[in-house]
Amino acid sequence: GLSETELSRRPKSENFASVAIWLEDRLSESGLIGIVSGKFEKNRLLIDELCISCRALGRELEDHMVSSALLLISQKFEIHEISFQYQKGARNEPIRKWLRSYTGLDFEQESGQTTMDWNREYMISKSAEFPVETEVVNSAGTGNGNAEK
């Protein structure tokens, strides 16, 4: 996974966007709990880093966090497809399971990528339940953003 320092070292170009996700509720402040980072090419957003902290994974916030981040990125790019890169591994299995559920696609290869059509309404419906603060932390030409509803 990427730390804030590693994220700040990612290429700063018009084709990259990274969104950091913080979680705070009335009981605690979890801090940085997720990163969605990718590269845009030919109307396709390739998510090459999707990190969700174990403090947040399995709390049924994954759909909301990722959809909110993707909606924020879609303000910069005209997205037609989203591809997620994945790798098999014991530590990756919880996120791979979530990714299968989120995309509705199945993948059995050790590593590769899975692609889904961009559907703004789907993303909005997935992001509607919980307000999550997000911030674009590394994207040329884009300032900070907030995907709270």
Side-chain angles (χ1 to χ4, degrees):
L2 291 175
S3 69
E4 285 183 81
T5 303
E6 292 167 325
L7 189 60
S8 70
R9 293 185 189 134
R10 293 204 44 122
K12 291 183 174 140
S13 78
E14 290 297 317
N15 294 340
F16 285 87
S18 297
V19 177
I21 303 165
W22 284 264
L23 180 64
E24 178 179 341
D25 61 24
R26 56 184 160 79
L27 302 175
S28 67
E29 183 178 324
S30 298
L32 178 64
I33 52 91
I35 295 170
V36 177
S37 183
K39 181 168 94 169
F40 183 74
E41 292 180 338
K42 300 177 185 172
N43 294 329
R44 181 174 62 108
L45 180 63
L46 173 61
I47 302 299
D48 58 359
E49 289 287 342
L50 172 57
C51 305
I52 299 176
S53 166
C54 59
R55 298 184 315 271
L57 195 60
R59 293 176 66 182
E60 298 185 9
L61 297 172
E62 297 91 342
D63 287 6
H64 177 75
M65 292 186 296
V66 173
S67 294
S68 294
L70 293 173
L71 283 167
L72 192 58
I73 292 170
S74 77
Q75 294 174 11
K76 180 178 178 184
F77 302 118
E78 186 178 333
I79 300 170
H80 294 184
E81 294 181 325
I82 305 169
S83 293
F84 295 89
Q85 288 185 330
Y86 63 87
Q87 287 188 312
K88 192 171 187 171
R91 290 180 49 179
N92 290 342
E93 195 50 39
I95 198 75
R96 283 171 49 101
K97 181 179 177 186
W98 168 81
L99 186 57
R100 278 191 291 276
S101 169
Y102 187 74
T103 63
L105 303 170
D106 200 14
F107 42 92
E108 297 301 325
Q109 299 171 312
E110 295 280 323
S111 63
Q113 66 184 25
T114 188
T115 301
M116 65 186 282
D117 290 336
W118 172 254
N119 183 327
R120 184 171 178 76
E121 289 74 29
Y122 175 79
M123 296 298 161
I124 290 170
S125 73
K126 291 289 188 179
S127 69
E129 291 183 34
F130 306 99
V132 172
E133 185 177 330
T134 59
E135 178 181 357
V136 176
V137 293
N138 184 352
S139 180
T142 305
N144 292 342
N146 188 322
E148 286 192 306
K149 296 280 180 208

